[in-house]
Amino acid sequence: MTVARVAPSNQPSADRVGAIRRYAQALGFDAVGVTRPDTLASEATRLDAFLDQGRHGDMDWMAAKRDRRRDPRTLWPGVRSIIALAVNYGPAADPRLALARSDRGVLSVYAQGDDYHHVLKKRLKMLGRWIAESFDAEVKVFVDTAPVMEKPIAAKAGLGWQGKHTNLVSRAFGSWLFLGEVFTSLELVADDAHDDHCGACRACLDVCPTQAFPAPYQLDARRCISYLTIEHAGVIPRALRPAIGNRIYGCDDCLAVCPWNKFAVRAHETAFHPRLELAAPLLRELVQLDDTGFRAVFRGSPVKRLGRERFVRNVLIAIGNSGDPTLLRYVKPRLADSSILVRGMAVWAARRLATADEVAALRASHAAGETEALVQDEWQ
């Protein structure tokens, strides 16, 4: 890739933005915009309400760094402009089609390819280094792992708007954008914030299997399948398990149903195309994974950070929802798993698939020696 270096002397701010945009696009970013760090007051109020109502569940890190999240200048006092960037990861087909295949697990579209953190971070560092050298500026780059309100920043920078499901929606790419940011000491001309184009539509609210949206533009993460299957480390509430279906890592329903996806296109970045083994994996194979097998299958995938215990928990819930008694043979070994959490979900899955006589026999074999209240409770 060859991009002409920009001379910083006497260059108007608008010209700098144009040069930065061209370089970012040459690096593979699909959308680029600029905003200022002092534009998030209303979003900070929403964040406060979200946290104060406990809707973040056990994501304690959100509350612990609330002040940095509310105001980018608290995170870095030297920031004068924020460059918001996005890369399209659009799927080739509606991901909801896989929900009908009850013998297979469904991973969120973003998790079927390579870990986007690594792909975007590399590009962001290249862009940040170029900005620092070209304009003698300070920069810091972020992608999802820092206390940054990425979706509000992207909306303020004109990349899209936050829909009623609180996710970013783009008129050009629909729901499928990975986000990253470059904070810089440069004074840059900001882009206009994007208007909201949701109108009267409430498709994303109505499609949610667990009714995780108390109202438009509000999310209760404690009911969200993405939160429950990824962020939540413990037992998933029994009342919510049936609605999870065969979703074993995240949920795309509210994204996939958005009418603006009629403009979406498949990701051009091959790293984000589904791996064959992750597109629609068989539940019977996933539930047999030990720790070594789990790490091997999900090497280089965002799923790896979940860990084998939580992942197999999710797989067992999907098996329990499958209605397929032939899968019981793969559940039985997990009744003696080393993980308490896995054993508990194996009990739940077995009780969903087995006959009354089979349940009684399994309980006689496994419950008597079980000392953990979590597992004993699942037998009740």
Side-chain angles (χ1 to χ4, degrees):
M1 178 186 66
T2 302
V3 178
R5 185 167 299 283
V6 179
S9 58
N10 302 318
Q11 186 177 53
S13 177
D15 290 348
R16 290 179 175 180
V17 172
I20 291 170
R21 181 173 282 111
R22 288 190 294 274
Y23 194 88
Q25 291 170 339
L27 288 173
F29 289 102
D30 294 303
V32 187
V34 177
T35 189
R36 301 185 60 82
D38 57 355
T39 61
L40 300 177
S42 60
E43 286 72 17
T45 300
R46 286 189 188 182
L47 174 65
D48 287 339
F50 175 77
L51 294 173
D52 292 343
Q53 292 169 27
R55 291 178 175 174
H56 60 302
D58 52 15
M59 295 185 290
D60 297 335
W61 42 268
M62 293 193 72
K65 297 182 178 180
R66 178 195 301 229
D67 290 345
R68 295 183 184 184
R69 216 172 279 278
R70 294 178 85 258
D71 189 341
R73 295 167 297 185
T74 303
L75 178 62
W76 181 35
V79 62
R80 297 292 177 268
S81 304
I82 300 176
I83 305 163
L85 303 114
V87 176
N88 170 44
Y89 71 97
D94 188 334
R96 293 174 296 167
L97 297 174
L99 297 175
R101 306 175 71 181
S102 60
D103 63 328
R104 296 177 179 268
V106 177
L107 290 83
S108 186
V109 171
Y110 84 86
Q112 294 180 25
D114 292 345
D115 193 334
Y116 69 96
H117 295 91
H118 303 321
V119 178
L120 265 66
K121 194 65 170 287
K122 181 178 180 180
R123 295 181 186 179
L124 288 167
K125 285 182 176 180
M126 292 175 65
L127 177 60
R129 190 179 303 114
W130 179 84
I131 291 172
E133 293 174 355
S134 296
F135 304 110
D136 191 26
E138 293 183 82
V139 298
K140 294 183 184 294
V141 303
F142 304 102
V143 53
D144 194 34
T145 54
V148 176
M149 290 201 288
E150 293 190 309
K151 290 176 284 189
I153 286 173
K156 293 293 185 181
L159 271 57
W161 70 97
Q162 281 190 267
K164 293 178 182 178
H165 51 15
T166 76
N167 292 296
L168 194 76
V169 183
S170 163
R171 295 181 72 174
F173 299 101
S175 305
W176 316 106
L177 287 175
F178 289 133
L179 302 176
E181 300 79 34
V182 176
F183 284 28
T184 178
S185 59
L186 283 175
E187 294 278 359
L188 298 173
V189 174
D191 291 293
D192 292 332
H194 208 299
D195 293 333
D196 187 314
H197 291 284
C198 287
C201 179
R202 51 175 293 122
C204 61
L205 309 180
D206 295 336
V207 78
C208 180
T210 53
Q211 300 178 326
F213 302 107
Y217 307 103
Q218 296 182 29
L219 170 69
D220 188 339
R222 296 168 297 185
R223 298 187 63 87
C224 174
I225 293 175
S226 287
Y227 165 81
L228 292 169
T229 58
I230 300 174
E231 301 295 344
H232 183 54
V235 178
I236 294 175
R238 195 175 299 180
L240 296 178
R241 293 173 201 167
I244 291 175
N246 60 340
R247 302 170 185 84
I248 57 174
Y249 187 92
C251 176
D252 289 320
D253 288 23
C254 66
L255 301 178
V257 76
C258 180
W260 285 100
N261 285 330
K262 64 186 177 183
F263 297 112
V265 294
R266 189 186 189 200
H268 58 77
E269 174 58 64
T270 56
F272 300 144
H273 292 174
R275 300 181 188 177
L276 181 62
E277 68 273 20
L278 301 185
L282 288 164
L283 294 172
R284 66 173 182 265
E285 295 180 356
L286 297 177
V287 77
Q288 299 180 66
L289 292 176
D290 58 13
D291 192 59
T292 300
F294 171 80
R295 292 198 307 271
V297 171
F298 294 105
R299 182 180 292 111
S301 162
V303 180
K304 187 179 177 181
R305 76 178 183 91
L306 194 63
R308 181 258 180 189
E309 181 181 56
R310 273 190 279 175
F311 182 75
V312 175
R313 169 201 64 184
N314 299 343
V315 173
L316 284 164
I317 289 174
I319 288 176
N321 289 329
S322 71
D324 183 358
T326 66
L327 293 177
L328 181 61
R329 60 175 292 195
Y330 303 101
V331 173
K332 290 178 180 179
R334 301 281 74 79
L335 293 169
D337 198 88
S338 60
S339 163
I340 300 168
L341 184 60
V342 170
R343 294 201 303 274
M345 291 307 97
V347 172
W348 184 81
R351 295 189 65 188
R352 299 265 291 183
L353 299 178
T355 65
D357 288 344
E358 288 173 324
V359 169
L362 289 171
R363 186 170 184 176
S365 300
H366 294 277
E370 180 63 67
T371 60
E372 297 294 340
L374 183 158
V375 184
Q376 289 286 10
D377 183 60
E378 293 297 335
W379 282 116
Q380 303 307 315

